[in-house]
Amino acid sequence: MNPVKIGIAGLGTVGCGTVDVLIRNADEIARRAGRGIQVSRALVKNISKDRSCDLNGVELTTNPEDLLNDPEIEIIVELMGGDSGIALELVQGAIACGKHVVTANKALIAVNGNQLFAAAQKKGTMIAFESAVAGGIPIIKVIREGFSGNVIRRLAGIINGTGNFIMSEMRTKQRSFQDVLVEAQDLGYAEADPAFDVQGTDAAHKLTILASIAFGIPLQFSHVYTEGIDKIESEDVEHAKTLGFRIKHLGIAAQVTDGIELRVHPCLVPENRLLANVEGVMNAVLVDGDAVGPTLHYGAGAGAGPTASAVVADLVDVVRTLTTDPENRVPHLAFQANSLSDIPILPIDEVSSAYYLRLNAINRPGVLADVTRILGDLNISIEAIQQKGDGSPDEFLPIVILTQVTLEKNMNCALERLAQLETVNSDIVRIRLENLNWS
Ligand code: HSE
């Protein structure tokens, strides 16, 4: 049988990695897919740029139409990134031409996925996006297919390799934020705009996708509460360590009584949890299904090989189902398109969590009593409290407090009242804390 011809858009780290894997493992891939997979054209910004991969037999072009108008190309692999512009137009064009799409573009799926999937369903084409979340970990397939017998209760993950790499290097090697970020960019981990990594946007894109396939809800990127790692201070990393915790940047989605929690933020995690020990560019996703219980999925979340592994797996999946009746394929978002639920995403004010607080307060009798009274008045229970310093009177000393689980809106109110105390510096650090005690 003739090989399936594909067009790749983007020959950066992931594009070249994909070409490499397709060449290196061509026989194995063909044995799995039932047909060979051959890159016939590639869309690039600059044709004359030096590239590390073997492009023998690949026609380079700067014109997306060359891929769309080639009747021999059955699958477009979109590896350019971005939720608009050429990436969106190319995917829309591919669907309109009846071509299948494989994409690593989480922003595109998180922001435009509802419309793109509807258009693809009408046309009977597939959009595969395994590589969009957690790099080489096949987490989409796990949740969408492996756990289809479960009601998924919750998931929590380290889903941005760059952020985790930065946090790990800062904690273990005392390196500066900027220095580590530059290395992550050199290694091809970081987004074109690294603010997406450090401000949490990239993780929010990925969490949007995971929540959708876990709970059977439409993609709702704009409803994700998002905080990055850019405000984490080394002082808090040290305090957390003393208390037996590590600070990790987590994406959390959970079905609770009144709706769905969807949040990305730094989080204290007990140091003995597996998730707390995921270091460097590695990702891990903890998924809790009612039948299977808690499961942990670990692997490289970024980089050429791991991401290419997921792109090629999608290609094999698409090739295997080219002749399947579209109605009988796995639905894009795991649940049948007409069976998605409208359960609301909870505003962060309505989410419950435990907290780590650090405030600087004057070392004077009664100050701690004022602080604990404010928390008590708002029904916030204290789990632990620690004041450090040499005890000189009337000096500002850091007080670290761990609270029990409380509603975010109560904590916000407490923070406002604490900031008004004359004896407390108004710059109060608040980091959420998750015990992840799911067993
Ligand atoms: N910038 C992303 C990360 C790449 O660091 O995880 C993979 O999506």
Side-chain angles (χ1 to χ4, degrees):
M1 218 180 208
N2 287 339
V4 175
K5 295 205 172 159
I6 67 169
I8 293 193
L11 281 180
T13 305
V14 177
C16 270
T18 300
V19 172
D20 281 344
V21 171
L22 284 171
I23 293 172
R24 190 171 73 234
N25 299 338
D27 291 345
E28 289 267 335
I29 291 166
R31 284 169 57 208
R32 288 194 161 108
R35 287 171 73 181
I37 299 174
Q38 182 192 334
V39 184
S40 62
R41 289 180 193 264
L43 175 67
V44 292
K45 278 198 197 126
N46 175 0
I47 291 192
S48 51
K49 185 177 163 184
D50 269 350
R51 294 187 169 83
S52 58
C53 50
D54 178 358
L55 294 171
N56 200 6
V58 181
E59 199 163 315
L60 299 187
T61 175
T62 55
N63 183 0
E65 296 295 323
D66 288 342
L67 271 62
L68 295 175
N69 293 335
D70 183 339
E72 293 200 327
I73 290 181
E74 291 186 69
I75 308 169
I76 301 273
V77 181
E78 186 277 303
L79 304 173
M80 292 181 295
D83 64 14
S84 57
I86 303 181
L88 177 60
E89 286 160 23
L90 183 74
V91 170
Q92 287 169 330
I95 296 166
C97 299
K99 297 187 193 298
H100 304 286
V101 174
V102 169
T103 178
N105 188 339
K106 50 259 157 157
L108 183 85
I109 297 296
V111 174
N112 307 294
N114 297 321
Q115 296 79 1
L116 292 174
F117 294 142
Q121 208 195 346
K122 248 191 191 161
K123 268 290 200 182
T125 61
M126 286 172 268
I127 304 178
F129 50 95
E130 182 63 70
S131 53
V133 182
I137 311 173
I139 193 67
I140 302 289
K141 199 161 193 85
V142 164
I143 298 176
R144 192 169 58 185
E145 292 159 62
F147 290 167
S148 51
N150 287 259
V151 172
I152 309 282
R153 297 182 286 214
R154 52 200 165 172
L155 60 89
I158 294 171
I159 45 180
N160 181 269
T162 302
N164 202 50
F165 181 66
I166 293 173
M167 294 294 295
S168 299
E169 292 287 301
M170 284 176 70
R171 181 174 55 80
T172 57
K173 299 184 188 154
Q174 285 76 46
R175 292 178 64 193
S176 79
F177 185 94
Q178 197 56 37
D179 175 35
V180 190
L181 178 58
V182 169
E183 188 182 345
Q185 286 174 298
D186 288 346
L187 290 167
Y189 301 156
E191 295 303 297
D193 178 357
F196 273 39
D197 294 300
V198 297
Q199 291 173 2
T201 314
D202 177 74
H205 286 142
K206 293 166 179 169
L207 187 72
T208 302
I209 298 171
L210 290 180
S212 192
I213 59 168
F215 306 132
I217 54 173
L219 296 149
Q220 293 168 81
F221 170 67
S222 61
H223 286 78
V224 184
Y225 174 79
T226 308
E227 267 180 39
I229 55 166
D230 45 345
K231 302 209 169 55
I232 294 292
E233 295 176 46
S234 42
E235 196 179 337
D236 296 307
V237 174
E238 285 308 310
H239 284 306
K241 210 192 252 179
T242 315
L243 292 160
F245 293 86
R246 288 191 183 160
I247 302 179
K248 289 289 176 189
H249 194 219
L250 296 188
I252 298 172
Q255 285 221 45
V256 293
T257 316
D258 299 326
I260 287 176
E261 293 181 10
L262 215 45
R263 49 196 171 106
V264 167
H265 51 70
C267 207
L268 268 74
V269 178
E271 66 189 2
N272 59 357
R273 296 272 180 267
L274 290 172
L275 217 47
N277 291 281
V278 173
E279 302 285 20
V281 74
M282 304 309 275
N283 281 194
V285 186
L286 186 58
V287 185
D288 186 17
D290 70 330
V292 69
T295 61
L296 183 66
H297 310 268
Y298 171 87
T307 314
S309 161
V311 170
V312 174
D314 270 349
L315 280 166
V316 170
D317 256 4
V318 171
V319 171
R320 279 175 176 157
T321 46
L322 279 174
T323 51
T324 307
D325 172 5
E327 295 299 315
N328 295 325
R329 293 184 186 136
V330 178
H332 291 111
L333 288 177
F335 292 70
Q336 299 299 332
N338 58 3
S339 299
L340 295 184
S341 139
D342 59 3
I343 182 166
I345 309 296
L346 292 175
I348 191 70
D349 263 5
E350 299 301 329
V351 167
S352 293
S353 166
Y355 294 87
Y356 160 101
L357 305 177
R358 174 170 59 81
L359 36 96
N360 284 311
I362 291 180
N363 184 22
R364 190 181 295 163
V367 172
L368 212 48
D370 289 342
V371 170
T372 55
R373 193 182 52 254
I374 287 176
L375 294 174
D377 285 351
L378 286 154
N379 215 16
I380 300 172
S381 255
I382 294 171
E383 178 82 24
I385 192 160
Q386 194 178 69
Q387 186 177 23
K388 288 211 163 159
D390 63 7
S392 315
D394 286 336
E395 273 191 17
F396 275 92
L397 294 177
I399 299 176
V400 171
I401 299 171
L402 301 186
T403 78
Q404 293 182 353
V405 172
T406 190
L407 258 184
E408 176 103 1
K409 65 180 167 200
N410 288 355
M411 180 51 73
N412 287 339
C413 188
L415 291 176
E416 261 175 48
R417 291 187 195 175
L418 288 170
Q420 280 162 13
L421 289 174
E422 277 179 13
T423 48
V424 170
N425 188 312
S426 61
D427 239 355
I428 302 171
V429 173
R430 169 258 301 274
I431 307 176
R432 294 168 192 86
L433 183 157
E434 292 287 335
N435 267 308
L436 300 178
N437 194 10
W438 291 2
S439 50

